[in-house]
């Protein structure tokens, strides 16, 4: 799928995206500070692929996803969807984008209105966009439920009558209602049991193949990311530190932080676990309100030198599809 995706035109191109939150002055008149949730992120998503964004909680991956369709207004940068910069669009113009760019939220328990029936939840985007008659909308809802593996009789139920996995299937059906080209999946399985996670991931993969969908998959769980991704971007403290194909990230990681994340994946086989090196970081992730100067990772990196403290590394190409922002990646990989 990756080779096919790269041969196609980019569906989404993000250039130097930033989201900064200004903080108010305190009682003592302290100057305003800025929380740099996303600080200069750039990447490209090709048609038909799954592009994953991974990192610790607080790294800015969800904020990045929300900025793409302007559920959160970006501070600066460009978001080009099919060549058009949606950052400059008016609210009226964004309605066209919302038809083609949908989102699956992390928590299926809070993303569905408990007062609405399943039929009303799924039909809401159809009604807003004047899909057709009541009969047409009802038929569309029934078809969407069957598409995500739910029986038509679920139409008259309420969210509290469904399990977590069933609720997330309803969320997926709602996202598919208007036949979007791109779906942003914001940790869509993190709130579910492990056995249900596998079912939802398989459903997403089947839907992608069947409908030609493009995904941006946001997650902190690398074991899930490995199953679904074509390409991966690793984020740390508002910045992307490494990008590459799934095989490049998992088999040939270049950034120390990527290696830390991979070493944290649970291993079920006790024999394999003994032969595996586990990398433990010291300290917590610094606050995005006051990120370290130079490389943001240098306060926790075991390979820090003076240049890491003084300047932030530029992205360097390892291969045509693999890049890393690290001053010492060559010496670390040798």
């Amino acid at each position: 799928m990756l080779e096919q995706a790269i041969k196609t035109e980019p569906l989404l191109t993000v250039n130097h995206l930033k989201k900064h939150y200004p903080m108010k002055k305190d009682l003592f008149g302290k100057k305003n500070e800025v929380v740099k949730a996303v600080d200069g992120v750039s990447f490209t998503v090709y048609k038909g692929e799954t592009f994953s964004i991974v990192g610790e909680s607080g790294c800015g991956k969800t904020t990045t996803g929300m900025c793409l369709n302007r559920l959160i207004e970006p501070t600066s940068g460009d978001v080009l969807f099919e060549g058009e910069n949606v950052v400059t669009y008016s609210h009226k113009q964004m309605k066209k984008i919302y038809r083609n760019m949908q989102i699956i939220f992390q928590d299926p328990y809070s993303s569905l209105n408990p007062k609405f029936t399943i039929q009303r939840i799924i039909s809401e985007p159809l009604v807003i966009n004047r899909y057709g008659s009541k009969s047409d909308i009802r038929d569309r809802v029934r078809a969407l439920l069957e598409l995500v593996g739910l029986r038509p009789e679920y139409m008259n139920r309420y969210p509290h009558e469904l399990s977590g996995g069933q609720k997330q299937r309803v969320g997926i059906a709602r996202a598919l209602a208007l036949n979007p080209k791109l779906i942003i999946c914001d940790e869509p399985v993190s709130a579910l049991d492990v056995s249900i996670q596998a079912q939802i991931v398989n459903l997403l993969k089947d839907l992608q193949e069947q409908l030609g969908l493009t995904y941006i998959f946001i997650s902190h769980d690398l074991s899930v990311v490995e199953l679904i991704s074509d390409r991966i971007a690793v984020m740390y403290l508002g910045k992307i530190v490494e990008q590459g194909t799934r095989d490049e990230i998992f088999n040939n990681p270049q950034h120390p932080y990527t290696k830390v994340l991979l070493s944290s994946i649970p291993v079920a086989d006790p024999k394999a676990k003994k032969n595996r090196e586990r990398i433990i970081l010291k300290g917590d992730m610094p606050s995005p309100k006051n990120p370290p100067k130079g490389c943001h990772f240098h306060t926790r990196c075991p390979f820090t030198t003076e240049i890491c403290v003084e300047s932030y590394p530029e992205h360097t190409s390892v291969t045509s599809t693999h890049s890393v922002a690290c001053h010492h990646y060559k010496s670390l990989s040798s």
Side-chain angles (χ1 to χ4, degrees):
M1 184 181 294
L2 175 64
E3 292 180 359
Q4 180 181 358
I6 290 179
K7 290 178 182 178
T8 64
E9 291 293 324
L11 180 65
L12 183 80
T13 301
V14 179
N15 293 320
H16 309 294
L17 183 68
K18 294 184 180 182
K19 180 57 184 177
H20 295 174
Y21 292 96
M23 299 184 67
K24 297 179 180 179
K25 293 182 180 180
D26 60 20
L27 294 173
F28 302 100
K30 188 176 180 180
K31 292 182 179 180
N32 287 342
E33 294 179 313
V34 175
V35 175
K36 298 179 179 180
V38 179
D39 195 24
V41 165
S42 299
F43 57 85
T44 300
V45 181
Y46 296 92
K47 293 179 181 179
E49 75 167 341
T50 299
F51 182 85
S52 292
I53 304 175
V54 302
E56 293 175 272
S57 296
C59 72
K61 55 187 185 296
T62 292
T63 304
T64 299
M66 296 296 181
C67 284
L68 300 181
N69 60 2
R70 290 175 57 189
L71 289 180
I72 296 175
E73 287 292 340
T75 301
S76 63
D78 298 320
V79 179
L80 305 177
F81 184 76
E82 295 188 313
E84 299 183 18
N85 192 357
V86 303
V87 173
T88 63
Y89 274 19
S90 65
H91 178 71
K92 184 178 181 180
Q93 290 174 308
M94 283 301 296
K95 287 185 177 180
K96 175 185 175 183
I97 299 300
Y98 292 143
R99 296 190 196 107
N100 290 310
M101 190 190 304
Q102 286 290 313
I103 187 167
I104 301 169
F105 294 97
Q106 175 178 356
D107 186 2
Y109 298 89
S110 61
S111 63
L112 306 180
N113 192 323
K115 297 181 180 180
F116 288 1
T117 63
I118 301 307
Q119 178 182 346
R120 185 173 177 185
I121 288 171
I122 298 175
S123 66
E124 195 168 22
L126 298 170
V127 172
I128 292 172
N129 288 274
R130 301 177 181 178
Y131 177 80
S133 66
K134 289 184 178 180
S135 176
D136 292 335
I137 291 175
R138 187 175 180 84
D139 290 342
R140 176 62 175 162
V141 172
R142 185 182 292 110
L144 287 166
L145 285 174
E146 293 177 351
L147 188 63
V148 299
L150 294 175
R151 297 189 301 274
E153 53 261 38
Y154 280 82
M155 292 172 65
N156 298 319
R157 297 187 184 181
Y158 288 85
H160 73 271
E161 300 178 271
L162 276 59
S163 68
Q166 290 170 338
K167 289 177 185 177
Q168 196 60 293
R169 288 174 186 267
V170 171
I172 294 171
R174 179 177 59 185
L176 293 172
L178 298 173
N179 292 317
K181 297 177 181 178
L182 173 67
I183 296 182
I184 301 167
C185 307
D186 181 21
E187 305 220 31
V189 298
S190 64
L192 305 176
D193 294 338
V194 175
S195 58
I196 306 301
Q197 287 183 10
Q199 294 177 18
I200 298 300
V201 168
N202 288 334
L203 173 62
L204 290 172
K205 291 172 70 175
D206 290 343
L207 290 171
Q208 183 178 43
E209 184 175 349
Q210 184 176 346
L211 303 176
L213 298 169
T214 303
Y215 293 142
I216 294 178
F217 195 88
I218 298 167
S219 180
H220 65 274
D221 190 339
L222 285 173
S223 58
V224 174
V225 167
E226 186 177 13
L227 291 175
I228 199 170
S229 304
D230 292 305
R231 292 189 301 125
I232 300 170
V234 181
M235 282 192 74
Y236 183 81
L237 209 60
K239 291 181 176 291
I240 291 178
V241 298
E242 187 168 1
Q243 282 193 63
T245 66
R246 175 184 56 194
D247 290 341
E248 287 169 337
I249 295 297
F250 278 87
N251 299 328
N252 188 31
Q254 298 295 313
H255 198 280
Y257 180 63
T258 307
K259 295 177 182 180
V260 169
L261 291 180
L262 292 174
S263 77
S264 68
I265 300 175
V267 178
D269 186 354
K271 295 181 180 179
K273 194 172 182 179
K274 288 181 180 179
N275 298 326
R276 183 178 180 182
E277 181 184 359
R278 181 73 184 273
I279 305 173
I280 306 296
L281 287 179
K282 295 181 180 179
D284 297 323
M285 181 187 291
S287 169
K289 182 175 68 175
N290 187 25
K293 294 181 180 179
C295 176
H296 290 353
F297 189 59
H298 84 257
T299 57
R300 305 171 75 189
C301 181
F303 309 105
T304 298
T305 62
E306 187 176 349
I307 191 174
C308 303
V309 180
E310 292 176 349
S311 64
Y312 194 88
E314 296 292 332
H315 268 270
T316 304
S317 295
V318 182
T319 69
S320 60
T321 56
H322 192 184
S323 66
V324 61
C326 177
H327 289 297
H328 303 300
Y329 88 91
K330 288 185 178 179
S331 60
L332 296 176
S333 60
S334 60

